[in-house]
Amino acid sequence: MNLHEYQAKELIHSYGVPIQKGIMAGSVEDAVAAYKEIRKESNSDIAIVKAQIHAGGRGKGGGVKLVKSEDELRMEADNILGMMLKTPQTPGGMEGPGKLVRKILVAEDAYAPDFDACDEIYMSILMDREKKCNVIIYSTEGGMDIETVAEETPHLVFKEWIDPELGIQAFQLRKIAFNLGLQGAAFKAMTKFVANLYKAFVGSDASLIEINPTVKTGDDRIIAVDTKISLDDNALYRHKDLAEMRDESEEDPTEVEAKKVGLNYVKLDGNVGCMVNGAGLAMATMDIIKLSGGSPANFLDVGGTADAQRVEQAFKIILKDPNVKAILINIFGGIVRCDRVAQGVVDAYKNIGNINVPIIVRLQGTNADIAKELIDNSGLKVHSAVLLKEAADLVKELVG
């Protein structure tokens, strides 16, 4: 689950991390009121207007503007609210449709009073699955795409691995501040900043916290200017307050619908729909589709109860994607019997009607032979397979 910038900042600030102050607004008038409040607190006419969508690179699409007066604020807020903002991270990139901006953040000028005296730093925390540790990635080259920095100047990207049982240690905090070239008050401020940020990462069950840029001000303060947080959906039952921050309008409508009926669905860009039970089998099925010359259109795990109703719901969700040219159903009958799944496929097919894409069904496990017979004798345009290779060959034949 992703958070908006203003939500992410509220979260880390609750753990003691200094942030760029800002007020969320959903209308031009709210933005004007927010600007007056920010101007009063900062004693400056300068403010930043930021579009709030779940995507990075907002400034590249015109979603971040600096204003110096109430008239400028009103104009920029009016321009940004309601725009379809295109960034390299919105669906389709800069050539795609973009995302509708429903909210903006009116924020203080964190670089005041001397922009040239400020330094921008990149900082993120995530899990390193290979090392089974959390890792802090940081660089002096903040404000840029970290991928570009890593490719062009890899020596400027540092990593610090944290044992999740021990937590972050004092020597590691000092090492991070030292590698960033900080001294004196800024050095101490950075060690405290990172310590509290790591507490926020662990305490919120986040899978990613990224702050780009983190700013060292001219008076040696460390401030989070832009913040991105992804939370682990599997841990949201422990964080009812954070779960309430979900903005479904920012998510794929089909994924939202699938979640409501208990299906694990992720939309992809391919042409072969997948319906599988079990995440591991789903990943293997996607690999098989790719090797057969197709491309997976989705990840869909129906779980261990693949009955007729569940299969029908899965069919409907997959068929919402106009790019789907075939559907591969790959079920291992362990908990659920294959003949029940097969009957569910037949019943769902008849209930939906008018399915114009070929369906390949591969059922293996308990009563697999009975299941194949049910499919073959159904009279429907459904192709059955026993071996995974057979299913792959059918994908290749039907999708081309």
Side-chain angles (χ1 to χ4, degrees):
M1 177 183 131
N2 294 324
L3 298 182
H4 284 293
E5 177 192 357
Y6 75 92
Q7 296 170 323
K9 283 180 174 175
E10 288 173 5
L11 174 56
I12 63 173
H13 190 54
S14 69
Y15 284 86
V17 178
I19 61 170
Q20 175 193 38
K21 296 176 183 177
I23 300 172
M24 191 275 290
S27 68
V28 173
E29 294 309 315
D30 287 345
V32 171
Y35 174 71
K36 291 178 179 178
E37 185 68 24
I38 292 294
R39 184 170 57 184
K40 182 179 178 182
E41 289 186 13
S42 64
N43 197 29
S44 170
D45 290 333
I46 298 176
I48 313 297
V49 183
K50 298 180 171 184
Q52 298 297 284
I53 61 170
H54 289 174
R58 292 166 294 165
K60 297 176 181 177
V64 178
K65 296 292 184 180
L66 183 146
V67 298
K68 298 180 180 179
S69 68
E70 184 176 321
D71 288 340
E72 285 187 20
L73 179 283
R74 186 180 293 274
M75 179 184 70
E76 296 297 354
D78 187 51
N79 288 339
I80 294 174
L81 281 168
M83 76 182 294
M84 294 299 294
L85 180 57
K86 301 178 183 181
T87 84
Q89 295 184 22
T90 52
M94 299 300 288
E95 303 301 321
K99 279 193 171 187
L100 177 64
V101 180
R102 297 178 174 87
K103 303 172 185 176
I104 56 175
L105 180 66
V106 182
E108 67 176 348
D109 177 15
Y111 297 82
D114 186 356
F115 177 87
D116 293 332
C118 296
D119 293 321
E120 292 186 326
I121 296 164
Y122 175 89
M123 181 79 59
S124 67
I125 309 176
L126 63 158
M127 183 192 300
D128 186 325
R129 296 183 183 275
E130 184 178 349
K131 291 183 178 290
K132 298 180 181 178
C133 289
N134 296 323
V135 59
I136 298 177
I137 302 175
Y138 57 104
S139 174
T140 55
E141 303 305 295
M144 296 177 58
D145 294 329
I146 193 64
E147 296 84 0
T148 303
V149 177
E151 182 179 348
E152 297 179 358
T153 52
H155 61 285
L156 296 178
V157 178
F158 302 93
K159 295 182 180 181
E160 189 66 29
W161 285 272
I162 314 298
D163 187 316
E165 292 186 355
L166 295 177
I168 193 164
Q169 303 296 299
F171 80 89
Q172 293 177 302
L173 297 172
R174 293 193 295 270
K175 179 181 175 183
I176 291 170
F178 177 81
N179 285 339
L180 290 171
L182 302 177
Q183 305 177 49
F187 187 99
K188 293 180 181 178
M190 178 57 76
T191 59
K192 186 177 180 180
F193 181 95
V194 177
N196 289 338
L197 190 65
Y198 189 78
K199 288 179 184 177
F201 177 80
V202 175
S204 64
D205 286 305
S207 55
L208 168 71
I209 293 183
E210 182 181 61
I211 303 179
N212 189 28
T214 300
V215 167
K216 182 197 81 68
T217 65
D219 55 358
D220 288 337
R221 291 176 297 126
I222 306 296
I223 301 175
V225 171
D226 192 5
T227 308
K228 175 182 179 180
I229 294 182
S230 294
L231 300 175
D232 185 347
D233 285 352
N234 296 310
L236 286 177
Y237 73 94
R238 303 198 292 209
H239 306 280
K240 305 296 184 184
D241 55 333
L242 300 181
E244 291 175 358
M245 293 183 179
R246 182 182 293 276
D247 186 350
E248 292 185 350
S249 67
E250 286 291 315
E251 300 177 13
D252 184 279
T254 313
E255 293 183 13
V256 173
E257 180 184 346
K259 191 170 296 182
K260 288 180 179 177
V261 296
L263 296 172
N264 296 314
Y265 173 88
V266 179
K267 188 180 183 304
L268 302 172
D269 297 327
N271 56 2
V272 180
C274 309
M275 189 190 306
V276 190
N277 66 332
L281 184 58
M283 298 300 288
T285 302
M286 292 163 67
D287 287 342
I288 285 294
I289 289 172
K290 200 73 177 175
L291 290 171
S292 69
S295 181
N298 64 271
F299 170 102
L300 195 156
D301 176 11
V302 295
T305 55
D307 54 20
Q309 182 182 5
R310 203 169 180 80
V311 170
E312 184 174 338
Q313 290 170 333
F315 263 131
K316 289 179 178 178
I317 286 169
I318 292 173
L319 290 168
K320 286 180 180 289
D321 185 349
N323 295 324
V324 169
K325 305 303 179 188
I327 299 175
L328 172 58
I329 301 173
N330 188 13
I331 302 289
F332 177 77
I335 299 173
V336 61
R337 287 177 7 211
C338 290
D339 57 321
R340 285 190 177 180
V341 177
Q343 190 61 56
V345 171
V346 173
D347 293 345
Y349 195 110
K350 290 178 178 178
N351 288 339
I352 295 173
N354 195 30
I355 296 178
N356 297 319
V357 298
I359 297 174
I360 304 152
V361 181
R362 186 253 180 179
L363 301 172
Q364 192 60 270
T366 307
N367 290 351
D369 52 344
I370 300 174
K372 188 175 189 308
E373 188 175 341
L374 275 169
I375 295 293
D376 291 342
N377 295 333
S378 66
L380 304 175
K381 294 180 180 179
V382 178
H383 306 266
S384 65
V386 176
L387 301 177
L388 200 52
K389 186 178 185 306
E390 291 179 48
D393 290 341
L394 282 169
V395 169
K396 187 172 184 178
E397 177 186 343
L398 296 170
V399 179

